[in-house]
């Protein structure tokens, strides 16, 4: 029964996630991702994905810091170190439990990219490892919709590139 409830919660998060795949403006994307990750934290916790849940909590804080354009290298190092320490302490999934750390660490390093197209590339690629992680913790809706979000983000990315980047007047 817990698997079903967790997948329902993740389905709601997935609706936000898919919608985020159509967003072009970095600040709007960060806010949508924060809502999505908050919901997925609950789902992952229910399914035993503790390192993923820890990563999501830190990612919500990180996104808000980035949204306010306060992110700098000392804070990046702090976020990466905090996630490393918490993953080290609470990981019960072996190698799989380190996947959220690596995805988030790479995302943190590059997330202050100013160019909307390059940021969209980063966010699109970062969804792929989550397809595997969600599937392995039995969040089947999370896995499916991470894949769908990768596809919608890729489609939006192609449109952005064809249009020569992003025009501020048409940002979603």
């Amino acid at each position: 029964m817990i698997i079903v409830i967790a997948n329902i919660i993740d389905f709601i998060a997935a609706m936000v996630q898919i919608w985020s795949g159509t967003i072009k403006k970095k600040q709007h994307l960060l806010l949508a991702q924060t809502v999505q990750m908050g919901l997925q934290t609950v789902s992952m916790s229910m399914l035993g994905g503790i390192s993923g849940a820890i990563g999501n909590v830190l990612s919500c804080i990180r996104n808000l810091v980035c949204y306010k354009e306060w992110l700098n290298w000392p804070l990046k190092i702090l976020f990466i170190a905090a996630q490393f320490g918490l993953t080290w302490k609470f990981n019960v999934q072996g190698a799989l439990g380190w996947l959220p750390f690596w995805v988030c660490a790479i995302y943190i390093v590059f997330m202050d990219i100013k160019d909307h197209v390059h940021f969209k590339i980063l966010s699109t690629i970062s969804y792929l490892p989550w397809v595997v992680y969600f599937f392995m913790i039995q969040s089947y809706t999370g896995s499916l919709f991470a894949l769908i979000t990768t596809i919608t983000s890729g489609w939006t990315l192609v449109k952005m590139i064809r249009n020569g980047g992003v025009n501020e007047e048409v940002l979603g």
Side-chain angles (χ1 to χ4, degrees), residues 66 73 81 113 118 128 137 142 163:
C66 190
W73 273 104
I113 294 171
H118 291 137
L128 285 172
I137 66 167
N163 291 333

PDB file of all heavy atoms in Angstrom, residues 66 73 81 113 118 128 137 142 163:
ATOM      1  N   CYS A  66      19.966  29.902  -5.428  1.00  0.00           N
ATOM      2  CA  CYS A  66      20.284  30.231  -6.820  1.00  0.00           C
ATOM      3  C   CYS A  66      19.249  31.191  -7.402  1.00  0.00           C
ATOM      4  O   CYS A  66      19.597  32.122  -8.129  1.00  0.00           O
ATOM      5  CB  CYS A  66      20.374  28.958  -7.659  1.00  0.00           C
ATOM      6  SG  CYS A  66      21.035  29.233  -9.320  1.00  0.00           S
ATOM      7  N   TRP A  73      30.838  30.147  -5.062  1.00  0.00           N
ATOM      8  CA  TRP A  73      31.638  28.929  -4.872  1.00  0.00           C
ATOM      9  C   TRP A  73      31.686  28.452  -3.428  1.00  0.00           C
ATOM     10  O   TRP A  73      31.568  27.243  -3.186  1.00  0.00           O
ATOM     11  CB  TRP A  73      33.030  29.092  -5.479  1.00  0.00           C
ATOM     12  CG  TRP A  73      32.977  28.707  -6.926  1.00  0.00           C
ATOM     13  CD1 TRP A  73      32.971  29.532  -7.998  1.00  0.00           C
ATOM     14  CD2 TRP A  73      32.857  27.385  -7.439  1.00  0.00           C
ATOM     15  NE1 TRP A  73      32.851  28.807  -9.164  1.00  0.00           N
ATOM     16  CE2 TRP A  73      32.790  27.472  -8.843  1.00  0.00           C
ATOM     17  CE3 TRP A  73      32.792  26.114  -6.861  1.00  0.00           C
ATOM     18  CZ2 TRP A  73      32.669  26.370  -9.673  1.00  0.00           C
ATOM     19  CZ3 TRP A  73      32.677  25.003  -7.684  1.00  0.00           C
ATOM     20  CH2 TRP A  73      32.611  25.143  -9.067  1.00  0.00           C
ATOM     21  N   ALA A  81      29.436  19.463   0.094  1.00  0.00           N
ATOM     22  CA  ALA A  81      29.968  18.811   1.305  1.00  0.00           C
ATOM     23  C   ALA A  81      28.842  18.311   2.206  1.00  0.00           C
ATOM     24  O   ALA A  81      28.927  17.201   2.755  1.00  0.00           O
ATOM     25  CB  ALA A  81      30.872  19.780   2.068  1.00  0.00           C
ATOM     26  N   ILE A 113      24.984  28.951 -14.394  1.00  0.00           N
ATOM     27  CA  ILE A 113      25.149  29.336 -15.795  1.00  0.00           C
ATOM     28  C   ILE A 113      24.110  30.410 -16.124  1.00  0.00           C
ATOM     29  O   ILE A 113      22.935  30.253 -15.822  1.00  0.00           O
ATOM     30  CB  ILE A 113      24.937  28.119 -16.724  1.00  0.00           C
ATOM     31  CG1 ILE A 113      26.029  27.086 -16.512  1.00  0.00           C
ATOM     32  CG2 ILE A 113      24.858  28.548 -18.184  1.00  0.00           C
ATOM     33  CD1 ILE A 113      25.751  25.770 -17.228  1.00  0.00           C
ATOM     34  N   HIS A 118      22.245  26.923 -22.239  1.00  0.00           N
ATOM     35  CA  HIS A 118      23.168  26.037 -21.520  1.00  0.00           C
ATOM     36  C   HIS A 118      22.548  25.513 -20.228  1.00  0.00           C
ATOM     37  O   HIS A 118      22.740  24.348 -19.861  1.00  0.00           O
ATOM     38  CB  HIS A 118      24.488  26.755 -21.228  1.00  0.00           C
ATOM     39  CG  HIS A 118      25.289  27.006 -22.456  1.00  0.00           C
ATOM     40  ND1 HIS A 118      25.927  28.189 -22.692  1.00  0.00           N
ATOM     41  CD2 HIS A 118      25.535  26.218 -23.534  1.00  0.00           C
ATOM     42  CE1 HIS A 118      26.538  28.132 -23.858  1.00  0.00           C
ATOM     43  NE2 HIS A 118      26.311  26.955 -24.392  1.00  0.00           N
ATOM     44  N   LEU A 128      18.122  12.355 -16.562  1.00  0.00           N
ATOM     45  CA  LEU A 128      18.359  10.974 -16.996  1.00  0.00           C
ATOM     46  C   LEU A 128      18.732  10.006 -15.859  1.00  0.00           C
ATOM     47  O   LEU A 128      18.148   8.920 -15.765  1.00  0.00           O
ATOM     48  CB  LEU A 128      19.390  10.923 -18.113  1.00  0.00           C
ATOM     49  CG  LEU A 128      18.888  11.375 -19.479  1.00  0.00           C
ATOM     50  CD1 LEU A 128      20.038  11.467 -20.467  1.00  0.00           C
ATOM     51  CD2 LEU A 128      17.804  10.452 -19.986  1.00  0.00           C
ATOM     52  N   ILE A 137      13.963   2.292  -6.812  1.00  0.00           N
ATOM     53  CA  ILE A 137      13.290   2.382  -5.509  1.00  0.00           C
ATOM     54  C   ILE A 137      11.781   2.141  -5.627  1.00  0.00           C
ATOM     55  O   ILE A 137      11.044   2.347  -4.684  1.00  0.00           O
ATOM     56  CB  ILE A 137      13.578   3.718  -4.787  1.00  0.00           C
ATOM     57  CG1 ILE A 137      12.983   4.922  -5.520  1.00  0.00           C
ATOM     58  CG2 ILE A 137      15.063   3.886  -4.519  1.00  0.00           C
ATOM     59  CD1 ILE A 137      12.976   6.207  -4.706  1.00  0.00           C
ATOM     60  N   GLY A 142       7.632   8.072 -10.964  1.00  0.00           N
ATOM     61  CA  GLY A 142       8.780   8.977 -10.990  1.00  0.00           C
ATOM     62  C   GLY A 142       9.714   8.655 -12.139  1.00  0.00           C
ATOM     63  O   GLY A 142      10.196   9.543 -12.844  1.00  0.00           O
ATOM     64  N   ASN A 163      15.536  28.926 -32.322  1.00  0.00           N
ATOM     65  CA  ASN A 163      15.163  30.340 -32.230  1.00  0.00           C
ATOM     66  C   ASN A 163      16.346  31.221 -31.856  1.00  0.00           C
ATOM     67  O   ASN A 163      16.164  32.387 -31.525  1.00  0.00           O
ATOM     68  CB  ASN A 163      14.038  30.533 -31.210  1.00  0.00           C
ATOM     69  CG  ASN A 163      12.743  29.933 -31.692  1.00  0.00           C
ATOM     70  OD1 ASN A 163      12.503  29.826 -32.889  1.00  0.00           O
ATOM     71  ND2 ASN A 163      11.899  29.521 -30.764  1.00  0.00           N
TER      72      ASN A 163
END
